[in-house]
Amino acid sequence: MFIGFDYGTANCSVAAVLDGQPTLLPLEGDNYYIPSTVCAPTRESVSEHLFRHLNIKPSDTVGEQVLRRAIAANRDESIELVREDMAFGQAALDLYLEDPRDVYYVKSPKSFLGANGLHDVQISFFEDLVCSMMANIKTQSELTTQTEILQAVIGRPINFHGRGGEEANRQAESILYRAARRAGFKDIEFQFEPVAAGLEYESTLKENKTVLVVDIGGGTTDCSLLDMGPSWIGRTDRTQSLLAHSGQRVGGNDLDIYLAFKQFMQPFGLASKSKSGIDMPLTQFWNPIAINNVEAQKNFYSRENFNALKLLRKEAAEPAKLDRLLKVYQDTLGYSIVRRAEEAKIGLADSAQFKAAVNVASELVEIDISVEQMIEAIETPKSKMIELVKEAIQQGQKAPDVIYMTGGSARSPILRQAVEQAVPNVPIVSGNYFGSVTAGLARWADTCFKM
């Protein structure tokens, strides 16, 4: 059996073709979308879990070294890892929120796969992370279908990382491929996510059209200019219909991060000063909430930075604010702050005002945010997204007949209005914001694996 597999930055989903139509499969209870999160007792537990409880062996000698170190580290900490210690999706988030200090939690590992400068050990660990998530999803899918699933078309963005170019894309795709093989998939193909979304939209077309797909996902924005319609459906070679692609690592997560930085970090000391009148360093407020940046997280949560934060607190004109920032460090609250920003973003889609609340130790920090403040906060990532829209049209040298917007953040009226202004007089349509990529991947799997 084959599936389309959307290994997303914010959520993962899979679809199988049943009775001739792509059908999403439940992955967490009755939910078709499982948050891209992992929670474990320790960092080392991820690698040991694969080997001890799933009988999934490392793919190379570096992986073997990572596994040996993981087992030794857990043994030294007297951690007896049981299968239920690993949690995924909403269950992982709930476990993390119970006590952030007591677990190892990762959100959106896909964001890191194309990062520059990763060492072999880091690449091997990311492969273990992805493999554990894929193995869980494969198991849940097989429970639903009561069939072994051996073939998958996996979605990928146009570009995994902003600066790495094709080398970064190769690195990320290689991690995904090896992880999928270890998780038990035998035949694996990749397809661009916006092309997959276009394939799902194409199934509704009665005549040929030039379609600009704008896919604003959690981690990336991807655009594809495509010739689509009845005369293309079912073809295994779509090369001539692929007119242009553009993509960058800027997506819904970035909207949340920028909103968190601009509107949530003042109570933690942003824009405050030292007793001598010097501004507090911006990086101390950016790094904890830059959850898609490996180096930023590493720098903020380093032992050396804890000493730097204590010194800032000692010199601060408003030390109570820096006390909160110290709690962010001690309780690893960066994910929680960004989560509250995401809730505010969603709430402001339907309301002019939103009251957010962040738990900091025993204190509840409340923040009032207006739509105007959000628009100002997300201007930088929004502008990058619109440039990608323009780039795809310019590359393709052809005006679209229609714009198909998909991805969770494509629901934002702010972003839709920005696209309308950038490409006037072209109708904008949407389907299933969250499921169109997955359904299109299943359609492409049907084409690839039925041959």
Side-chain angles (χ1 to χ4, degrees), residues 18-35:
L18 304 176
D19 297 325
Q21 291 298 318
T23 303
L24 291 172
L25 305 179
L27 297 177
E28 192 173 31
D30 295 330
N31 296 318
Y32 298 115
Y33 308 99
I34 182 170

Side-chain angles (χ1 to χ4, degrees), residues 183-375:
F185 295 106
K186 302 302 183 186
D187 300 313
I188 301 160
E189 299 287 342
F190 289 93
Q191 179 58 274
F192 286 141
E193 289 158 2
V195 174
L199 292 172
E200 175 62 9
Y201 175 60
E202 183 181 57
S203 67
T204 69
L205 293 178
K206 305 301 182 186
E207 59 183 0
N208 288 347
K209 290 181 181 291
T210 299
V211 181
L212 176 63
V213 180
V214 180
D215 178 15
I216 308 176
T220 60
T221 294
D222 297 291
C223 303
S224 288
L225 189 66
L226 310 164
D227 280 336
M228 313 204 87
S231 65
W232 292 100
I233 290 176
R235 292 199 197 182
T236 56
D237 183 0
R238 298 288 301 246
T239 307
Q240 296 302 312
S241 71
L242 310 179
L243 305 179
H245 306 291
S246 64
Q248 191 176 342
R249 201 189 73 170
V250 55
N253 282 355
D254 296 274
L255 302 177
D256 303 335
I257 289 167
Y258 272 82
L259 181 58
F261 179 67
K262 295 282 189 177
Q263 294 299 323
F264 281 69
M265 297 310 290
Q266 281 86 352
F268 299 89
L270 178 65
S272 66
K273 296 180 183 295
S274 67
K275 293 173 185 175
S276 60
I278 299 173
D279 290 338
M280 289 288 158
L282 293 178
T283 54
Q284 293 289 14
F285 308 97
W286 175 260
N287 286 352
I289 49 101
I291 59 173
N292 57 1
N293 186 318
V294 177
E295 285 304 310
Q297 293 283 284
K298 180 181 176 182
N299 290 340
F300 182 78
Y301 290 110
S302 68
R303 186 169 299 177
E304 295 80 9
N305 194 49
F306 185 52
N307 294 328
L309 290 172
K310 288 192 290 187
L311 183 60
L312 283 178
R313 191 265 176 209
K314 185 178 180 180
E315 297 173 346
E318 300 176 85
K321 292 185 176 181
L322 273 295
D323 283 336
R324 294 188 187 119
L325 189 63
L326 280 164
K327 294 303 294 182
V328 172
Y329 176 96
Q330 292 168 325
D331 295 347
T332 58
L333 295 179
Y335 282 112
S336 295
I337 294 171
V338 176
R339 174 71 171 167
R340 301 289 87 79
E342 181 186 16
E343 291 172 353
K345 177 189 72 177
I346 294 169
L348 288 167
D350 301 316
S351 176
Q353 291 283 142
F354 188 88
K355 183 183 287 291
V358 181
N359 281 304
V360 184
S362 58
E363 181 186 11
L364 188 67
V365 179
E366 295 187 332
I367 302 152
D368 291 309
I369 307 170
S370 68
V371 169
E372 291 75 16
Q373 288 172 321
M374 183 180 74
I375 291 172

Side-chain angles (χ1 to χ4, degrees), residues 22-145:
T23 303
L24 291 172
L25 305 179
L27 297 177
E28 192 173 31
D30 295 330
N31 296 318
Y32 298 115
Y33 308 99
I34 182 170
S36 301
T37 57
V38 181
C39 191
T42 63
R43 185 180 190 275
E44 291 75 19
S45 298
V46 177
S47 302
E48 184 176 354
H49 167 79
L50 288 173
F51 179 74
R52 188 175 301 282
H53 297 297
L54 301 183
N55 196 30
I56 296 177
K57 297 177 175 60
S59 58
D60 54 26
T61 55
V62 176
E64 291 171 358
Q65 293 171 9
V66 170
L67 175 61
R68 284 196 297 270
R69 292 172 187 169
I71 293 173
N74 283 335
R75 185 177 60 243
D76 290 345
E77 295 292 326
S78 299
I79 294 173
E80 292 291 335
L81 186 67
V82 299
R83 185 170 184 144
E84 293 74 23
D85 283 340
M86 285 288 293
F88 303 91
Q90 187 62 42
L93 178 59
D94 292 343
L95 191 60
Y96 163 72
L97 292 176
E98 281 181 20
D99 191 350
R101 295 166 296 183
D102 223 26
V103 294
Y104 176 74
Y105 175 77
V106 178
K107 178 184 178 183
S108 310
K110 183 181 177 183
S111 298
F112 308 140
L113 304 186
N116 297 328
L118 293 182
H119 302 300
D120 289 344
V121 169
Q122 291 173 299
I123 290 174
S124 180
F125 177 68
F126 285 141
E127 183 185 316
D128 284 349
L129 270 177
V130 175
C131 181
S132 68
M133 296 170 71
M134 287 185 167
N136 174 64
I137 289 169
K138 183 174 185 289
T139 297
Q140 297 305 317
S141 302
E142 290 174 342
L143 286 172
T144 298
T145 60

